Amino acid sequence: MPSIAFLAWRIASFSYGIFALLFFTLLILKDGSLWRRTTDKEKNQLAIATDKLWNLSKAPGGLTHAFFRLRNGLRLHYVSSSPPAFSNSANLIIFIHGFPDSWASWQSLVSSHSLRAKSRLVALDLPGYGGSDSLKEYKATEVMEAVTEFVAGIREMYVPEAGYSAHSGVGPGKVIIVAHDWGCTIAFRLASETPHLADRFILSNSMHPPLALSNTHRILSSSYKMLTTALHHPLSPSSRTLSLTALCTLLPLLTQLSLSSYIFLFLLPAPLSTTFGTLGNYWFLRFTHRLASRSRTPLDTATAATAMASSLGPGVAECSTGTSIREESYPLSVRQRAERGGPWADQISYYRDGAATQPWTKSLETVATLHDLDGSPATAAVAGGVVQPQGRRSSGGLALFPSGPQGAVRAPTTVVWGQEDRALDMRICLEGMGEFLLARGDDGGGGGGGSHGKSQGGSQGGSQVLVLPSVGHWVPVEEKGKAVLKEIMGWTVDGEREKLSERLGRVYPGAVRVLVEQ
């Protein structure tokens, strides 16, 4: 039988979701979108943008469309760049997007010539997004299993594990995961529970649930103690001050509750939450696109069409196209989403099904894959024409007794945070992050990346928390955010030979505030 506290939470959650639905509906009415019809120009621009991003026979920005088949038969869509033409290592950078985006949110970065010169770039569509198959449920196990299998499979395809090849001149490269929003939340779990998957995680603007829960508990506990003390001494002159302080202590939670109102809307019964997605000609999607662009006015037709095409994924016409190499087409579930107007129901199911917070039960196949990564053959380097073994290729082994709090990240991680985030409160989502990150030389899980427990060339390694003062939530699409992310990737690929703060300070003086560097 459900507890009283659980029932009270469900009632409060439902009530707040209804309030959010009414609030956003009033905004839609005020905006006039409920009765506004799409113009022919807007339809044509959307068709052009959709064809450009999702026609499998084309190469957007010189990228190649491809599909990765999971063990269960489902297929995940991704785009990839060509392998570096002149590089002595096969670095791999995997990009994972957030809500309500797709691989296209990374288009500027995966089209970067400087990144392509040293790495193969791969941008994934999460399950249920873009051109990837839908899942029956979007619980933690289903989502994490799919993403883990994809990352491990792409590693096997593109990164040599057996060491330097004298024939090809290609040696062991780095594996880097770059993620934002929902992709960041997923990558936090990968860095915490499967640190072998990558040499470095570069993560921007999302909640790491264990940290957020820790901060929430700390705030509630502190406020409760102050209120209890004040009530025990009601006539004391300091009682009123203490009560006000206790209430002020709750401000970060109240702020985050306000910023997260849309999530409670997503948790409403399916008929309400799914209908809201298409209300007012996809008003909420257009609203998020404006937030991403930091624009106070409606976007121009072409920009709005590109953003909408990224969120909606392939149209019915694109589902009839095929890749030029293997002649693969989009999965049936992608066509079904296109016919019903887009992937909204799948996108909000990540929230509804608890993909971020539920336990992840790893399959035997996943456990075996992770064990193989941890115990992969020793990599090698060439010294004086002789191949020398240099230890494991992965980020290192798991410690018998991992250090740090529950959910601590056990791989080298760089957190990049846009300070002007209008979806997440730093006091809940970022404060105390340093306690959850792996320090250089820590044996608690990840090691230091690279082929022998630390990055090649004498790495400074470790983890960092960086704040970008004039950047918002969508770090990967803002110019300053993209520039900083690109520099961090370049620093990682180049061997992390200096402190990241020193490199960023030299290239972008005053643009980055370093909270943690350990």
Side-chain angles (χ1 to χ4, degrees):
M1 177 179 291
S3 66
I4 295 177
F6 176 77
L7 290 174
W9 166 251
R10 291 297 298 268
I11 293 171
S13 175
F14 178 82
S15 301
Y16 191 39
I18 291 294
F19 170 79
L21 177 61
L22 294 175
F23 174 75
F24 283 116
T25 301
L26 287 175
L27 291 182
I28 295 172
L29 291 171
K30 181 182 178 181
D31 185 62
S33 296
L34 197 60
W35 300 282
R36 181 178 172 274
R37 300 183 65 179
T38 307
T39 65
D40 290 338
K41 180 181 179 181
E42 290 171 334
K43 291 179 181 178
N44 290 335
Q45 289 285 358
L46 179 59
I48 293 171
T50 303
D51 179 76
K52 181 179 179 180
L53 293 179
W54 300 108
N55 189 322
L56 294 176
S57 65
K58 296 185 176 180
L63 302 168
T64 302
H65 290 278
F67 293 90
F68 181 86
R69 186 177 294 275
L70 302 175
R71 288 185 294 267
N72 58 15
L74 299 181
R75 290 186 294 145
L76 300 184
H77 170 261
Y78 67 97
V79 298
S80 69
S81 65
S82 301
F86 305 101
S87 179
N88 61 357
S89 64
N91 301 299
L92 172 65
I93 304 178
I94 300 174
F95 298 85
I96 309 177
H97 65 84
F99 171 89
D101 303 311
S102 65
W103 74 265
S105 63
W106 302 104
Q107 188 169 12
S108 177
L109 286 171
V110 294
S111 300
S112 165
H113 293 295
S114 61
L115 292 177
R116 287 187 184 190
K118 296 181 179 180
S119 307
R120 183 188 285 270
L121 313 179
V122 170
L124 166 69
D125 280 336
L126 285 170
Y129 281 79
S132 289
D133 247 319
S134 296
L135 302 178
K136 291 182 179 180
E137 293 182 306
Y138 291 88
K139 295 180 179 179
T141 295
E142 285 74 11
V143 173
M144 296 304 299
E145 286 286 298
V147 175
T148 301
E149 185 179 348
F150 173 83
V151 174
I154 293 296
R155 275 182 61 131
E156 186 176 352
M157 289 170 58
Y158 295 139
V159 180
E161 296 284 353
Y164 185 89
S165 168
H167 174 72
S168 64
V170 175
K174 289 177 174 289
V175 178
I176 305 166
I177 291 178
V178 185
H180 170 69
D181 192 75
W182 257 108
C184 174
T185 296
I186 292 169
F188 264 126
R189 294 199 72 166
L190 294 178
S192 174
E193 301 182 47
T194 62
H196 320 80
L197 279 179
D199 295 288
R200 177 163 296 278
F201 292 80
I202 303 172
L203 312 179
S204 67
N205 286 68
S206 191
M207 185 179 292
H208 183 37
L211 171 63
L213 185 62
S214 174
N215 283 334
T216 298
H217 181 269
R218 174 180 53 79
I219 290 170
L220 289 174
S221 176
S222 176
S223 180
Y224 175 77
K225 289 177 181 178
M226 285 187 282
L227 284 173
T228 302
T229 303
L231 291 174
H232 283 169
H233 306 280
L235 300 181
S236 170
S238 61
S239 178
R240 183 178 178 183
T241 301
L242 196 59
S243 298
L244 289 174
T245 303
L247 294 176
C248 289
T249 302
L250 294 173
L251 280 178
L253 285 180
L254 297 176
T255 301
Q256 187 58 62
L257 190 65
S258 173
L259 296 174
S260 299
S261 61
Y262 67 96
I263 296 179
F264 290 86
L265 192 162
F266 293 169
L267 299 179
L268 290 175
L272 293 175
S273 57
T274 54
T275 301
F276 172 75
T278 57
L279 200 63
N281 189 26
Y282 301 101
W283 178 88
F284 189 78
L285 288 180
R286 291 188 285 111
F287 175 69
T288 60
H289 298 157
R290 264 177 57 183
L291 289 179
S293 68
R294 310 288 297 282
S295 174
R296 295 182 179 272
T297 59
L299 304 178
D300 64 82
T301 306
T303 303
T306 299
M308 187 62 72
S310 172
S311 292
L312 294 182
V316 175
E318 286 68 40
C319 288
S320 300
T321 63
T323 58
S324 57
I325 299 177
R326 297 185 179 181
E327 297 184 353
E328 289 184 290
S329 59
Y330 288 110
L332 177 61
S333 63
V334 175
R335 175 180 284 274
Q336 292 171 339
R337 295 202 303 260
E339 291 173 344
R340 70 172 185 246
W344 176 262
D346 294 79
Q347 292 171 343
I348 65 173
S349 289
Y350 279 71
Y351 299 91
R352 296 173 61 84
D353 294 347
T357 56
Q358 287 193 343
W360 170 17
T361 304
K362 297 180 181 67
S363 66
L364 293 177
E365 292 84 357
T366 296
V367 172
T369 297
L370 296 175
H371 181 270
D372 288 343
L373 284 176
D374 187 33
S376 58
T379 56
V382 175
V386 180
V387 178
Q388 301 287 347
Q390 291 194 354
R392 302 186 193 279
R393 166 65 195 86
S394 65
S395 295
L398 290 173
L400 183 60
F401 301 103
S403 59
Q406 182 72 27
V409 172
R410 296 183 289 154
T413 301
T414 302
V415 177
V416 183
W417 194 273
Q419 185 171 335
E420 297 181 7
D421 194 321
R422 294 180 61 182
L424 299 168
D425 191 295
M426 288 177 60
R427 295 167 293 182
I428 299 294
C429 302
L430 200 64
E431 192 169 308
M433 179 67 78
E435 299 174 9
F436 281 75
L437 297 181
L438 178 77
R440 180 165 59 95
D442 191 337
D443 293 328
S451 61
H452 53 289
K454 64 180 180 178
S455 299
Q456 299 164 1
S459 167
Q460 295 293 333
S463 298
Q464 305 84 19
V465 178
L466 312 174
V467 174
L468 310 184
S470 59
V471 177
H473 177 77
W474 275 270
V475 173
V477 301
E478 295 194 35
E479 291 304 320
K480 289 183 180 179
K482 287 188 290 188
V484 170
L485 289 176
K486 186 187 297 185
E487 199 64 37
I488 297 170
M489 285 181 269
W491 169 76
T492 305
V493 168
D494 290 343
E496 306 179 8
R497 293 182 174 88
E498 60 183 324
K499 286 187 176 181
L500 179 58
S501 58
E502 294 175 354
R503 176 155 173 165
L504 292 176
R506 186 173 63 254
V507 179
Y508 302 108
V512 180
R513 185 157 56 94
V514 180
L515 290 189
V516 176
E517 189 164 34
Q518 55 193 35

